[in-house]
């Protein structure tokens, strides 16, 4: 999972090494990313190194090696949970089990719209806080956005606190789908939707939480879950 600036710097380093055989200087990186100081470049490089995308070569000045590109992230289903939904997952910070062969343009930049509760509903979806790159193979047609999970009520569906969920924007969902639900116009939550006659149930995937029942005019579907981005620390 990379921010826009991290992705820009990684691709700039990759292209420069491919062209010249030498990684760019910090001044060149600063100018390319239009940053005010080199301290920002230091932070970006450290973040890329921690995530396993680049490696510093010992005993050589200006020596950076690109280990992998973000398009080579693993796509896999989580192993835990009894629920039938098995989201695509981009796993970061660990050993990749498989590698896709995607070109650099096979990713889409999506907005991260703050946090959403997978427990007690929190304030409705916030404004854009960041932008991240997601493989096109996870998305398909339509408009998508990202939300960070806060809470543990969906853990039995493999959705954990701190995960970033990939949401396809829709306003109608089938019974059984995991959706972003806006409750009474004020609170957003991620739950499995069940239609029971004229009522709508928002069902957790954690036996410690209770299903909540609402009238049809109390719940507005704002999207359905299609994937996850998980970073391991």
């Amino acid at each position: 999972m990379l921010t826009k600036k991290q992705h820009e710097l990684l691709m700039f380093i990759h292209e420069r090494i491919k062209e010249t055989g030498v990684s760019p200087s910090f001044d060149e990186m600063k100018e390319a990313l239009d940053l005010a100081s080199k301290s920002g470049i230091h932070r970006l490089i450290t973040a890329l190194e921690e995530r396993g995308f680049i490696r510093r070569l010992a005993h050589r000045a200006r020596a950076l090696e690109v280990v992998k590109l973000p398009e080579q992230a693993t796509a896999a289903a989580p192993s835990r949970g009894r629920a039938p939904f098995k989201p695509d997952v981009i796993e970061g910070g660990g050993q990749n089990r498989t590698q896709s062969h995607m070109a650099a343009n096979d990713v889409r930049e999506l907005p991260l719209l703050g946090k959403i509760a997978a427990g007690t509903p929190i304030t409705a979806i916030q404004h854009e806080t960041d932008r991240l790159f997601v493989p096109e193979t996870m998305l398909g047609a339509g408009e998508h956005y990202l939300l960070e999970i806060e809470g543990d009520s969906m853990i039995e569906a493999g959705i954990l606190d701190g995960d970033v969920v990939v949401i396809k924007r829709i306003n109608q969902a089938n019974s059984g789908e995991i959706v972003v639900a806006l409750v009474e116009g004020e609170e957003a939550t991620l739950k499995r939707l069940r239609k029971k006659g004229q009522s709508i149930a928002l069902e957790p995937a954690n036996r410690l939480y209770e299903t909540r029942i609402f009238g049809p005019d109390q719940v507005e579907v704002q999207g359905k879950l299609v994937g996850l981005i998980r970073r391991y620390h």
Side-chain angles (χ1 to χ4, degrees):
M1 180 173 66
L2 297 180
T3 67
K4 181 179 180 180
K5 286 296 185 184
Q6 289 167 358
H7 187 275
E8 287 178 358
L9 180 59
L10 177 62
M11 298 311 297
F12 177 68
I13 294 171
H14 173 67
E15 293 298 329
R16 181 59 64 88
I17 292 175
K18 190 165 64 172
E19 291 173 4
T20 68
V22 180
S23 59
S25 67
F26 275 53
D27 284 325
E28 290 170 331
M29 296 181 209
K30 179 171 71 73
E31 182 177 350
L33 271 67
D34 194 27
L35 295 181
S37 68
K38 287 190 285 188
S39 62
I41 296 296
H42 280 283
R43 287 193 295 271
L44 291 173
I45 286 179
T46 298
L48 290 172
E49 188 176 27
E50 289 174 349
R51 288 158 177 77
F53 287 97
I54 64 173
R55 179 167 54 223
R56 302 179 202 240
L57 302 178
H59 311 301
R60 291 174 56 188
R62 288 177 53 181
L64 296 174
E65 178 184 14
V66 176
V67 178
K68 64 180 180 181
L69 296 176
E71 303 79 43
Q72 297 170 319
T74 298
S79 58
R80 72 180 72 187
R82 299 173 298 165
F85 178 80
K86 292 185 177 181
D88 290 332
V89 179
I90 304 175
E91 298 177 348
Q95 181 71 26
N96 286 339
R97 286 172 290 178
T98 61
Q99 291 187 334
S100 62
H101 300 283
M102 301 171 62
N105 61 353
D106 286 337
V107 294
R108 193 185 310 177
E109 187 181 35
L110 298 180
L112 178 64
L113 302 182
K115 294 184 178 182
I116 188 170
T120 303
I122 57 175
T123 303
I125 299 171
Q126 304 165 25
H127 297 295
E128 180 177 324
T129 60
D130 205 345
R131 298 187 73 85
L132 303 175
F133 289 87
V134 178
E136 286 283 359
T137 52
M138 179 179 285
L139 302 176
E143 183 182 354
H144 296 73
Y145 59 91
L146 306 172
L147 294 167
E148 183 181 351
I149 292 295
E150 186 168 80
D152 62 358
S153 77
M154 297 301 289
I155 58 174
E156 291 172 13
I159 303 166
L160 311 182
D161 183 56
D163 283 347
V164 173
V165 290
V166 184
I167 304 296
K168 181 176 182 178
R169 193 183 295 276
I170 59 171
N171 55 25
Q172 298 289 333
N174 297 321
S175 185
E177 291 183 320
I178 296 177
V179 303
V180 173
L182 186 64
V183 179
E184 297 183 332
E186 294 182 354
E187 298 173 318
T189 188
L190 187 81
K191 291 290 182 293
R192 191 181 303 278
L193 181 143
R194 300 285 186 191
K195 296 178 180 179
K196 300 184 177 182
Q198 295 299 311
S199 299
I200 294 177
L202 297 180
E203 181 181 284
N206 183 332
R207 67 195 69 187
L208 299 179
Y209 291 81
E210 295 182 353
T211 297
R212 304 175 70 199
I213 309 295
F214 299 92
D217 59 342
Q218 293 179 294
V219 175
E220 177 187 344
V221 174
Q222 296 196 324
K224 72 173 181 178
L225 179 65
V226 297
L228 293 176
I229 300 172
R230 178 170 298 152
R231 182 168 62 202
Y232 294 95
H233 298 283

